[in-house]
Amino acid sequence: RFQLQVRAPTTADDGEFQRPVIIHRAILGSVERMIAILTENFAGKWPLWLSPRQVMVVPVTGVVYEYAERVRQQLHAAGFYADVDVGADTLNKKIRNAELAQYNFICVVGVQEKDEGSVNVRCRDDVGTKAKGQTIPAGAFIEQLGALKSSKSLDSKLVQ
């Protein structure tokens, strides 16, 4: 029954009156409300530990596609969500697409980074890294990401 009527002629087999009871549970509704509140609060700029888009690896040229994929695999093995943009767009367009997609970190890799085994890191929340970024070894970057993720910080800035 969708309308609970207290005086409805509901009786048991023995003829005694029984009050109808409806139990309502809204477990999924509560989860949806929580996700909606979080999305509104962060305005799509999720902290690293909650973000569905954590790291984008952007190769400068086709020569370093293999290295970019290797960096993505290292990040994935460390437990991070990482993508590689190997599309035909220009470097600036790839970086802009990653910024619009709200990736926490953009790692630009070129021949110099491939030779050094490093990545050029741009952080979404740090305006100072928007231009060139800082080049750090890939292993050190993954360690810093792990520390940032475990700290549950609301800022996605690497600690030096």
Side-chain angles (χ1 to χ4, degrees), residues 14-78:
D14 57 3
E16 193 173 317
F17 175 77
Q18 291 184 341
R19 169 173 267 165
V21 176
I22 297 176
I23 298 174
H24 175 72
R25 291 178 57 189
I27 293 174
L28 284 179
S30 301
V31 171
E32 288 173 356
R33 258 189 309 280
M34 181 196 72
I35 290 173
I37 290 169
L38 284 173
T39 303
E40 184 177 345
N41 182 47
F42 290 119
K45 293 185 177 185
W46 299 91
L48 181 70
W49 57 279
L50 273 178
S51 180
R53 295 179 170 172
Q54 295 174 330
V55 182
M56 171 64 86
V57 182
V58 177
V60 175
T61 64
V63 178
V64 293
Y65 281 176
E66 186 179 312
Y67 177 68
E69 180 60 31
R70 198 168 0 146
V71 170
R72 188 207 65 80
Q73 288 173 354
Q74 290 173 351
L75 287 162
H76 185 72

Side-chain angles (χ1 to χ4, degrees), residues 138-155:
F141 173 65
I142 293 172
E143 288 176 13
Q144 289 178 3
L145 277 183
L148 182 64
K149 187 175 181 180
S150 63
S151 73
K152 304 268 195 257
S153 173
L154 296 181
D155 291 328

Side-chain angles (χ1 to χ4, degrees), residues 78-147:
F80 296 101
Y81 181 84
D83 286 329
V84 177
D85 189 350
V86 292
D89 292 329
T90 63
L91 177 64
N92 290 336
K93 182 70 173 173
K94 290 178 183 181
I95 292 172
R96 180 71 177 141
N97 288 342
E99 287 175 349
L100 290 176
Q102 299 296 341
Y103 279 88
N104 294 72
F105 294 96
I106 302 170
C107 296
V108 180
V109 294
V111 176
Q112 177 185 353
E113 287 82 10
K114 179 182 177 183
D115 294 340
E116 297 173 354
S118 62
V119 291
N120 185 321
V121 181
R122 296 170 188 236
C123 178
R124 178 190 68 202
D125 297 337
D126 191 0
V127 180
T129 64
K130 294 281 183 177
K132 167 78 167 101
Q134 56 184 346
T135 302
I136 57 176
F141 173 65
I142 293 172
E143 288 176 13
Q144 289 178 3
L145 277 183

